[in-house]
Amino acid sequence: MTRPYNFSAGPAAIPEEVLQTAASEMLDWHGSGMSVMEMSHRGKEFISIYEQAEADLRELLAVPSNFKILFMQGGGLAENAIVPLNLSRGASADFVVTGSWSQKSQKEARKYCEVHIAASNEADGHTSLPAPSSWQLSAKPSYVHLCSNETIHGVEFHELPDLKALGCDAPLVIDFSSHVASRSVDWSRVGVAFGGAQKNLGPAGLTLVVIREDLLGQALKACPSAFDYQLVANNQSMYNTPPTYGIYMAGLTFQWLKRQTEGGLTGLAAMEARNIAKARLLYEFLDQSQLYSNPVALDGRSRMNIPFRLRDESLNDAFLAGAKARGLLQLKGHKSVGGMRASIYNAMPLAGVQALVDYLRDFEQTQA
Amino acid sequence: MTRPYNFSAGPAAIPEEVLQTAASEMLDWHGSGMSVMEMSHRGKEFISIYEQAEADLRELLAVPSNFKILFMQGGGLAENAIVPLNLSRGASADFVVTGSWSQKSQKEARKYCEVHIAASNEADGHTSLPAPSSWQLSAKPSYVHLCSNETIHGVEFHELPDLKALGCDAPLVIDFSSHVASRSVDWSRVGVAFGGAQKNLGPAGLTLVVIREDLLGQALKACPSAFDYQLVANNQSMYNTPPTYGIYMAGLTFQWLKRQTEGGLTGLAAMEARNIAKARLLYEFLDQSQLYSNPVALDGRSRMNIPFRLRDESLNDAFLAGAKARGLLQLKGHKSVGGMRASIYNAMPLAGVQALVDYLRDFEQTQA
């Protein structure tokens, strides 16, 4: 069976093997007589699924034992409120603005605390990565927030800042929704990482939160109990009924990720090597092209979300129609920035990026 | 293929036809080349799924045009905060306590407003239905909350109160998580109805909110934007990425529900007639039994969740093991009340209840 290549920014492509397993187990998971969707979240069958998923994720991302892994709901937009409800103590927080998502985060946080913009690339249209040495951190923020990969603007931090080296003791909060599990994380520099699942982990409706234990237990009174990290952690993400099927799909994805190999590497290291190769293939083609262009500075280019424009935008509709005819789906850019965007998450094979590059070349030649 | 009968209180049984459709469409929805999980929520494919689900639900439940249907996340426990965040205006709310769920609701609401208990059946162990004529409503509550079916205690309102007739102008809020779509709703008596999907609508992680339009736009500043009913309504439930697969599964369930027939009835009316017959079959057996008993007063007995006890509780483990051997799953009662519970939601056929009654009889005879 040949499936099209799906470049959606999220909800996004899921590995075919994962979908096949899910289909085959839909009516009867492992002889239980039940679909995973039909299991009590407190029964031994689902608990085993949950524990395996949590353990696999901890292994893949090398999450230290002093961090809790929480499976929540509401996605990144809900976390924009849930983080300050849990961490701000009603005081202040610093934000590094690098695109639409960090903009939304700082705006929402203003409901709960003072907000200080420590750095922003708004002046250049969110196409650069502000160097940490240039950040104007405030004296005592309750936390410092950044979006480590901007899904819309295609700006990625390839190294997380060392806040301590910048003279700041506050915990770093990263929104890693759109590059989670695409590369390793330096947990020594992170207090909280959160992300919606619908890019690299599984279906929409599941949110991953990884939090250092000493940051639990600070929620404001206004924080809904279901979103109080301490309560969620104390109840193994079952304070309220968790999105059980999403956790199951994420668990299948983690097992798929563990099986990956690439040039002698396995698991996340293999995936990261493949993601580097995929991104290089596409950027190198765009950079030599006369028709297409990507605006992001070299040191801030995302491996996951690659926005690009046709120099003649009157060709956009023809470009998209031709792509679809070749089985290259969902390449239209976000409505807020226009143009095109190729999201090449973990589930996108190198062959899919090659097929895209082949089409880009062919389309450009027809315009020559 | 014969599947076991699954009596879980939620996440709960899903119609086999729905699961079969989901399995068959897992890798390719209607020739799109994508799983529903892989679709952008803003693409035409998913929008068509969303709009069909919304229209089918509106038809099934006869939701008037001045009510909005919202698909949200977080389940009933999150709504316990989201409702007062949206409706209390920081003033006060009245609660009718009839079991664990309304208890949790009133407790959580105290974070956001004054709480007045207008009636409670706590004194009799949550086994009765307080008559509306006995309620002590306060002078000007911002809303009156009740749980129209208590999943744990098995107490159901078979008629919603007419607050206006009780001299109260406040909107009625009902938590209908565990009997939604099992019976019709008198919307003339309701301001807001909410429910988690994982009993009668689909998988966990999807929350249904039905709200009268004039109640929108009152959220407290502390309300996270993703849970502000007005913002959710203005964005057709896509302010944040919705739980797309859950909406798809609920949509398949709505279509299944529309196809049901029973004695000349169709759709929800057929389902309600079947639910009445299922509940009668089980209660009549329990009431004549010497071994089993259900504690709930006749006028408050739930059609959906039927807790019962063995008079000799040392038999509990043997009872559950024998049930499982007959393919009767998840009959263990909630940990907070013990005993047994049969949840017989829409997806449970009359044949499943009959199989349970047959087993109850056989087990009782082996103990005689």
Side-chain angles (χ1 to χ4, degrees), chain B residues 315-331:
Chain B
L315 298 173
N316 282 358
D317 288 348
F319 175 87
L320 287 166
K324 189 169 182 186
R326 289 227 199 164
L328 306 171
L329 306 181
Q330 308 204 85
L331 282 161

Side-chain angles (χ1 to χ4, degrees), chain B residues 147-193:
Chain B
C147 176
S148 49
N149 185 66
E150 289 278 359
T151 322
I152 293 175
H153 288 91
V155 175
E156 182 171 8
F157 281 86
H158 293 286
E159 186 179 9
L160 293 175
D162 181 352
L163 292 186
K164 281 207 177 59
L166 297 172
C168 176
D169 285 333
L172 179 68
V173 174
I174 64 171
D175 172 357
F176 68 167
S177 295
S178 52
H179 72 165
V180 55
S182 74
R183 61 189 304 155
S184 61
V185 175
D186 183 350
W187 294 105
S188 74
R189 297 184 172 185
V190 173
V192 177

Side-chain angles (χ1 to χ4, degrees), chain A residues 83-93 109 112-113 142-143 218 220:
Chain A
V83 168
L85 279 164
N86 275 277
L87 296 186
S88 75
R89 302 189 303 273
S92 70
Y112 308 104
C113 62
S142 51
Y143 64 94
Q218 306 180 69
L220 299 176

Side-chain angles (χ1 to χ4, degrees), chain A residues 1 3-4 6 8 10-16 19-20 22-24 26-28 32-45 72-75 77-78 81-82 85 101 104 108 110-112 198-199 202-207 220-228 231 239-246 249 324 329-330 334-335, chain B residues 1 3-4 6 8 10-16 19-20 22-24 26-28 32-45 72-75 77-78 81-82 85 101 104 108 110-112 198-199 202-207 220-228 231 239-246 249 324 329-330 334-335:
Chain A
M1 177 176 177
R3 303 182 81 222
N6 180 355
S8 176
I14 289 175
E16 185 171 344
L19 294 172
Q20 283 169 340
S24 71
M26 181 63 84
L27 279 91
D28 184 7
S32 67
M34 296 182 279
S35 175
V36 173
M37 281 183 219
E38 300 176 283
M39 294 175 182
S40 167
H41 53 301
R42 306 206 185 274
K44 69 175 165 37
E45 295 88 354
M72 299 180 62
Q73 299 179 55
L77 277 179
I82 294 169
L85 279 164
W101 284 93
K104 289 184 191 187
E108 181 79 358
R110 290 171 196 267
K111 290 185 172 195
Y112 308 104
Q198 66 269 22
K199 285 101 162 58
L206 172 65
T207 312
L220 299 176
K221 183 191 166 202
C223 183
S225 298
F227 303 120
D228 178 332
L231 280 174
Y239 178 79
N240 56 351
T241 308
T244 51
Y245 199 74
M249 290 297 298
K324 189 169 181 185
L329 306 181
Q330 307 203 87
H334 191 270
K335 61 184 175 177
Chain B
M1 174 176 181
R3 302 183 81 225
N6 179 355
S8 176
I14 289 175
E16 185 171 343
L19 293 173
Q20 284 170 339
S24 71
M26 180 62 83
L27 279 92
D28 183 8
S32 66
M34 298 182 279
S35 175
V36 174
M37 282 183 219
E38 299 176 283
M39 295 175 181
S40 167
H41 54 298
R42 306 206 185 274
K44 68 176 168 34
E45 295 89 353
M72 299 180 63
Q73 298 180 55
L77 277 178
I82 295 168
L85 278 163
W101 284 93
K104 288 183 191 188
E108 182 80 358
R110 290 172 195 267
K111 291 185 171 195
Y112 308 103
Q198 66 269 23
K199 287 101 160 59
L206 173 66
T207 313
L220 298 177
K221 182 192 167 202
C223 184
S225 298
F227 303 119
D228 179 331
L231 279 175
Y239 178 79
N240 56 350
T241 309
T244 51
Y245 200 73
M249 290 297 299
K324 189 169 182 186
L329 306 181
Q330 308 204 85
H334 190 271
K335 61 183 176 178

Side-chain angles (χ1 to χ4, degrees), chain A residues 269-318:
Chain A
M271 187 53 70
E272 181 162 3
R274 198 182 301 162
N275 286 331
I276 290 170
K278 285 153 53 183
R280 181 181 297 143
L281 176 62
L282 184 49
Y283 281 116
E284 285 183 355
F285 180 81
L286 293 173
D287 285 347
Q288 62 74 46
S289 155
Q290 302 302 307
L291 180 60
Y292 314 101
S293 66
N294 166 282
V296 180
L298 291 180
D299 66 342
R301 283 177 163 185
S302 170
R303 296 174 184 163
M304 295 284 106
N305 307 100
I306 303 179
F308 62 93
R309 288 184 176 280
L310 279 62
R311 288 187 214 279
D312 177 358
E313 297 220 297
S314 72
L315 299 173
N316 283 357
D317 288 348

